[in-house]
């Protein structure tokens, strides 16, 4: 039974864009109206929903007169202090967000590309207008990652964060892992299920993840991190063969967003990563997301949930609306700073170049099965100060090349890249080697 409430004041919300996420926001506001009122002490009223397509709200049960095709009916309505942007993309969405902020309205969005590309401009506009800008739903769908970094870990120096922030890639990698599908087949299934777009580039090449990582790093460290400065590599080259070798070594392959705080500099990278089978992250399957945040006082925190979808993303946007409404009610704008730190304390990003990153590596060569080949390969690695942890060679079935797989101890990226280049040029080595970085963070002890 919903809690009963007496006479209530109301605060009006306008939603710009009525696609999947916009619909989710509308549904949460409409379906949980009494619950929200009981929590807020006032009605959070869905006053206006704007979309260019008049057919979009069909079946949504919007009250009479709420829908419009004209965004100015939200932007120019002085009785609507809170606006949701769910248009998507960086063109019209950017213009609408800036217009809403300039009109003195606080804005909530789920649009990570917009924040990653125009976050600073939006932030400065919000500062100048004395309003709030919130974006919990931009990273990890329903998981409260931004809130956890900004509020729950406010007393911590964030020491690292890593996780699965793209459900499409995780779905594809899960299919390759558990059903032995190749990348193309797994991608086709992800498209059939509606997880992957017709053009899957943003997801499978890691760009969606790198946008989200830049947003998390900005909040974690109080520095404006540009996603273009973060190393990114997608999952197109991952094969069932590599996943099977990973299993033999006790690992699974995930597309990870990784960041580590080295004090003077921070590390940020997105790439396929081998994680221990005995770790929470390795058990995150299908389209699910998970992130492990570490703070110097708190230790490790793991969040797990649906990173996309109408209702999970709608849930995250509405959590921002509740915060914005509370701020509005208390006339307490930006009680929590937009990017976690006071404006005067935001620093320029100090990113460690990828070349200097240290990690462990899995490397698979196609090499001729001849005497001395393994020692030549290990010799090159040794020359570049890379120490081998374990090796495996697949038995020869023909005169063609065989798979030689090496797992290394920790090494520097530039040394590994130089070694791979040298090995690629060897006459006994065939196709381009496959390199997958290995992280043992988050391993669970027996
Ligand atoms: N395309 C994203 C994913 C969802 O596959 O996780 C939206 O961020």
């Amino acid at each position: 039974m919903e809690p009963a409430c007496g006479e209530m004041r109301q605060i009006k919300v306008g939603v710009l864009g009525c696609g999947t996420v916009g619909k989710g926001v509308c549904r949460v506001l409409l379906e949980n109206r009494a619950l929200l009122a009981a929590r807020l002490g006032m009605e959070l009223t869905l006053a206006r929903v704007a979309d260019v397509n008049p057919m979009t709200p069909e079946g949504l049960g919007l009250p009479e007169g709420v829908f419009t095709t004209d965004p100015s009916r939200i932007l120019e309505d002085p009785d609507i202090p809170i606006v949701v942007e769910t248009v998507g993309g960086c063109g019209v969405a950017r213009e609408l967000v800036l217009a809403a902020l300039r009109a003195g309205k606080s804005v909530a969005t789920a649009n990570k590309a917009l924040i990653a590309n125009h976050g600073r401009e939006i932030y400065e506009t919000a500062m100048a207008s004395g309003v709030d800008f919130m974006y919990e739903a931009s990273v990890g769908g329903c998981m409260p990652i931004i809130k956890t970094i900004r509020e729950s870990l406010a007393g911590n120096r964030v020491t690292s964060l890593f996780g699965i922030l793209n459900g499409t890639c995780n779905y594809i990698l899960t299919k390759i892992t558990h059903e032995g599908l190749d990348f193309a087949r797994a991608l086709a299934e992800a498209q059939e299920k509606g997880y992957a777009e017709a053009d899957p580039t943003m997801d499978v090449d890691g760009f969606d993840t790198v946008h989200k990582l830049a947003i998390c790093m900005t909040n974690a460290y109080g520095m404006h991190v540009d996603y273009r400065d973060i190393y990114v590599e997608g999952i197109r080259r991952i094969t069932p063969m590599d996943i099977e070798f990973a299993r033999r070594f006790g690992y699974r392959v995930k597309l990870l967003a990784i960041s580590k705080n080295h004090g003077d500099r921070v590390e940020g990278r997105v790439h396929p990563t081998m994680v221990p089978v005995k770790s929470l992250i390795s058990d995150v399957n299908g389209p699910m997301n998970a992130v492990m945040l570490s703070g110097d006082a708190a230790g490790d925190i793991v969040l797990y949930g649906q990173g996309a979808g109408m209702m999970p993303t709608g849930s995250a946007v509405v959590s921002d609306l509740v915060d914005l409404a509370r701020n509005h009610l208390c006339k307490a704008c930006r009680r929590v700073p937009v990017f976690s730190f006071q404006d005067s304390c935001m620093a320029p990003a100090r990113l460690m170049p990828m070349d200097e990153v240290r990690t462990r590596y899995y490397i698979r060569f196609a090499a001729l099965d001849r005497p001395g080949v393994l020692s030549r390969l290990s010799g090159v690695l040794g020359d570049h100060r890379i120490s081998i942890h374990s090796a495996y060679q697949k038995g020869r079935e023909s005169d063609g090349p065989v798979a030689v797989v090496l797992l290394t101890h920790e090494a520097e990226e530039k040394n590994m890249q130089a070694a791979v280049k040298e090995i690629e040029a060897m006459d006994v080595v065939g196709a381009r080697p496959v390199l997958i970085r290995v992280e043992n963070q988050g391993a669970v002890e027996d």
Side-chain angles (χ1 to χ4, degrees), residues 25 54 58 66 96 102 105 129 159 165 187 198 216 228 235 241 278 287 304 346 360 410 413 433:
V25 174
E58 249 179 36
V66 165
L96 291 173
R102 286 186 188 120
K105 299 175 191 307
S129 301
T159 50
L165 296 178
L187 170 61
C216 291
R228 285 162 284 229
I235 62 167
M241 187 197 291
K278 288 186 179 170
Y304 168 89
M346 289 295 290
R360 298 179 63 199
E410 201 174 271
E413 177 79 14

Side-chain angles (χ1 to χ4, degrees), residues 112 165-168 203 208 212 308:
K112 65 253 157 197
L165 296 178
N166 186 273
T168 305
D203 291 320
D208 174 79
K212 293 169 179 169

Side-chain angles (χ1 to χ4, degrees), residues 366-389:
L368 293 180
D369 191 3
R370 293 216 189 115
V373 169
L374 201 53
S375 79
R376 283 178 67 191
L377 293 176
S378 59
V380 173
L381 292 172
D383 290 346
H384 290 276
R385 286 179 289 163
I386 299 162
S387 169
I388 295 170
H389 176 277

Side-chain angles (χ1 to χ4, degrees), residues 55-75:
M55 303 309 286
T56 48
E58 249 179 36
L60 203 51
L62 290 182
E64 191 69 28
V66 165
F67 184 78
T68 176
T69 52
D70 179 6
S72 70
R73 298 210 44 211
I74 292 175
L75 297 172

